[in-house]
Amino acid sequence: MKNIALIGVGYVGLVSGASFADLGNKVTCVDINEERIANLNRGIMPIFEPGLEELTRRNVGAGRLIFTTSYEEALKDADYVFIAVGTPSDVDGQADLRYVRMAAESIADTMDHYLIIVNKSTVPVGTGDWVAEIMRSRRPDVPDFDVVSCPEFLREGSAITDFMNPDRVILGSTNRDAAESVAHLHLPLRTTLMITDLRTAEMVKYASNAFLAAKISFINEIANICEALGADVKEVAYGMGLDNRIGPAFLDAGLGWGGSCFPKDVKALASMAEVESRHPHLLHAVMDINRDQRHAPIRKVEAFLGRDLRGKVIGILGLAFKPNTDDMRDAPSIDIIRNLQRRGAIVRAYDPVAAAKAAEILDDVEMAKSAYELAEGADALILVTEWNEFKNLDLARIHTSMAQPVLIDGRNVYDPGKARDLGFQYTGIGRGYEGRGVPHPLDETETH
Ligand code: NAD
């Protein structure tokens, strides 16, 4: 059993802390947010993540997982200190490292023995060295320490499964022994452990996220071309994904990526390149395509209801940036709703989990209690987040209750043929054959 201090109890920190505790370590999580810690000590979760409440409860009960606001308490017997604080974008698109700096200074102020400091936050290349400098300048007589970069790749919505079954663990350090020590902590995960230098490890995270964002923007660009040329992007993606060199993941055309990671990480990587006088043309294209994609449902609503949306009631199915999370950070729904409101539309929304968080961000959006309530009297529905419960809605009931049966399927969840047979004026993303009146053989069989 190792003693781990974990700084920052957000999506990454809480999942990592509870998971490391479940692997038999003693984990003390520290956060500057007193309310968050007080709630956690009462068993109240600060975020929605499947399985997290039960995992946390079990490990708190076993005495392996502790929540505190005290760095002294967290660092007292620690072998490792994991940093998992937020690194949002600043106004220039660079990563804002103020929380990492605060955490590094607090560690330097508090530590009284050798520690391995493991950075899990996504941080610009060079931050590991910078953390060491900050600590040494903050406290010239700081005890010895090493810094290891261990970027996190979990996804919200499947965070615990991802943490426990990673495709790989990347470790970077100037001291190989320190990196190997952190590698040991991950042995129970039975995965590929890659040890490299600090900067390379930091870069692996940005390059991975930028590549995944690029894959989504790529298929969305293909979707737009499919619409113009009368091809079906779902079939195109399926056909592409059968190629081992491409693979099927991240080829779902839709309303683009959002959330707390891709937008800020692609922006930060582009900024890093520009500071070094490199011109990241591809990264800019990836971001531009994603921004444009959020206009797609507006164009589609206008195609059915006309350009004057004043007074039209539009229902938004799904608000979170993706299913199985309540995270609203940079969710496509925000831009889509504000755009509709600017055009005078009356916007209602329903999300199974994120409605409360969304209500803090969005003005004048009436939150419905169900998809069926949302549909009543609506002139159009736009599916923005593909929650499972939307996949099996009683579409006939929805159709009957709407004022106008316009259904914009922003995530290609529904079968176009069946939706039209029910009487919907339906459109998805990139399903160009729809407009040609040609029945599609796979609509009936849904072979994949
Ligand atoms: P978050 O905003 O959910 O949580 C951050 C937590 O850190 C907050 O509770 C905050 O109060 C706390 N904090 C800030 N400064 C502190 C300090 N000085 N001392 C103690 N606590 C402090 O953030 P997140 O989504 O968990 O992301 C954390 C990092 O992990 C980011 O760099 C992010 O890019 C990266 N990451 C996130 C995900 C994800 O899916 N959310 C996935 C992989 C990597």
Side-chain angles (χ1 to χ4, degrees):
M1 182 189 83
K2 293 290 183 185
N3 273 313
I4 297 174
L6 205 143
I7 300 179
V9 195
Y11 286 89
V12 167
L14 186 50
V15 169
S16 309
S19 301
F20 273 131
D22 211 49
L23 293 172
N25 302 290
K26 182 175 171 227
V27 182
T28 308
C29 297
V30 59
D31 203 293
I32 47 173
N33 184 332
E34 290 177 8
E35 188 187 351
R36 183 164 280 211
I37 293 297
N39 279 339
L40 278 162
N41 281 325
R42 284 198 290 268
I44 303 168
M45 294 293 112
I47 52 170
F48 173 80
E49 183 61 43
L52 186 58
E53 192 167 349
E54 141 64 13
L55 187 75
T56 303
R57 196 182 321 116
R58 187 166 72 236
N59 285 285
V60 168
R64 288 189 298 262
L65 184 59
I66 291 163
F67 299 105
T68 179
T69 53
S70 159
Y71 271 78
E72 282 77 13
E73 185 182 352
L75 264 56
K76 192 165 30 105
D77 301 316
D79 305 301
Y80 307 88
V81 184
F82 279 74
I83 299 178
V85 298
T87 49
S89 291
D90 70 11
V91 280
D92 301 324
Q94 294 178 345
D96 179 348
L97 291 178
R98 86 178 76 166
Y99 304 110
V100 177
R101 174 191 277 275
M102 278 167 64
E105 289 176 348
S106 302
I107 297 168
D109 289 346
T110 314
M111 64 189 279
D112 60 5
H113 60 280
Y114 171 80
L115 284 174
I116 297 180
I117 294 154
V118 189
N119 190 20
K120 264 210 167 302
S121 297
T122 304
V123 289
V125 176
T127 301
D129 298 325
W130 177 79
V131 161
E133 276 165 34
I134 290 208
M135 290 178 58
R136 293 204 175 94
S137 65
R138 173 85 172 183
R139 186 175 158 201
D141 65 341
V142 70
D144 194 19
F145 64 88
D146 282 297
V147 177
V148 174
S149 165
C150 178
E152 182 52 60
F153 297 94
L154 62 76
R155 296 161 298 176
E156 288 173 24
S158 53
I160 296 168
T161 311
D162 289 351
F163 186 93
M164 292 295 198
N165 305 281
D167 291 334
R168 78 299 206 193
V169 171
I170 307 290
L171 299 158
S173 183
T174 42
N175 179 346
R176 190 164 175 107
D177 289 345
E180 281 180 2
S181 173
V182 181
H184 253 87
L185 271 183
H186 293 87
L187 286 182
L189 302 180
R190 297 181 172 278
T191 188
T192 305
L193 300 162
M194 172 182 159
I195 296 186
T196 181
D197 63 88
L198 254 180
R199 285 170 180 254
T200 303
E202 290 165 343
M203 188 64 181
V204 170
K205 174 65 188 178
Y206 279 103
S208 301
N209 272 5
F211 184 79
L212 293 172
K215 219 172 161 190
I216 299 172
S217 284
F218 178 85
I219 200 66
N220 280 335
E221 180 143 300
I222 296 294
N224 291 332
I225 301 172
C226 282
E227 271 179 19
L229 299 182
D232 179 6
V233 75
K234 257 190 128 164
E235 303 299 319
V236 170
Y238 180 66
M240 285 171 64
L242 292 172
D243 186 327
N244 281 331
R245 295 168 303 175
I246 298 172
F250 281 73
L251 281 183
D252 293 316
L255 301 178
W257 37 273
S260 63
C261 291
F262 286 3
K264 78 173 174 65
D265 293 349
V266 182
K267 238 189 274 172
L269 182 56
S271 285
M272 278 181 252
E274 277 155 4
V275 166
E276 298 300 329
S277 305
R278 302 301 199 272
H279 303 290
H281 303 290
L282 179 60
L283 298 181
H284 284 296
V286 165
M287 290 187 277
D288 288 349
I289 292 167
N290 197 55
R291 200 179 44 246
D292 286 356
Q293 201 63 11
R294 295 182 181 188
H295 292 284
I298 315 288
R299 284 195 303 273
K300 287 169 187 287
V301 165
E302 285 179 347
F304 287 119
L305 298 182
R307 285 188 61 85
D308 184 2
L309 295 181
R310 281 174 299 177
K312 297 281 185 335
V313 177
I314 315 286
I316 304 294
L317 274 167
L319 293 162
F321 87 92
K322 66 174 186 178
N324 293 325
T325 181
D326 59 351
D327 200 341
M328 283 296 297
R329 290 177 281 187
D330 211 342
S333 63
I334 300 172
D335 283 347
I336 294 166
I337 287 172
R338 289 190 178 144
N339 196 337
L340 288 165
Q341 288 176 327
R342 274 197 299 277
R343 284 154 203 264
I346 298 163
V347 180
R348 292 183 197 157
Y350 167 67
D351 188 286
V353 171
K357 281 200 177 162
E360 291 168 14
I361 302 169
L362 295 161
D363 295 324
D364 300 324
V365 178
E366 190 190 318
M367 297 292 171
K369 292 193 179 56
S370 71
Y372 299 106
E373 188 183 299
L374 181 77
E376 274 167 32
D379 293 299
L381 287 183
I382 304 176
L383 187 143
V384 176
T385 315
E386 66 277 35
W387 283 94
N388 267 342
E389 71 170 67
F390 298 158
K391 293 179 181 164
N392 285 313
L393 286 177
D394 181 348
L395 286 182
R397 180 175 161 196
I398 297 261
H399 177 266
T400 325
S401 65
M402 291 178 72
Q404 304 191 63
V406 172
L407 180 56
I408 314 295
D409 183 357
R411 301 290 177 182
N412 289 339
V413 163
Y414 302 116
D415 179 320
K418 287 182 188 153
R420 277 203 212 89
D421 287 350
L422 286 170
F424 280 104
Q425 292 178 285
Y426 170 93
T427 187
I429 301 288
R431 314 203 72 181
Y433 71 89
E434 291 169 14
R436 299 165 132 201
V438 182
H440 195 271
L442 291 178
D443 276 354
E444 293 308 314
T445 47
E446 281 296 320
T447 49
H448 51 83

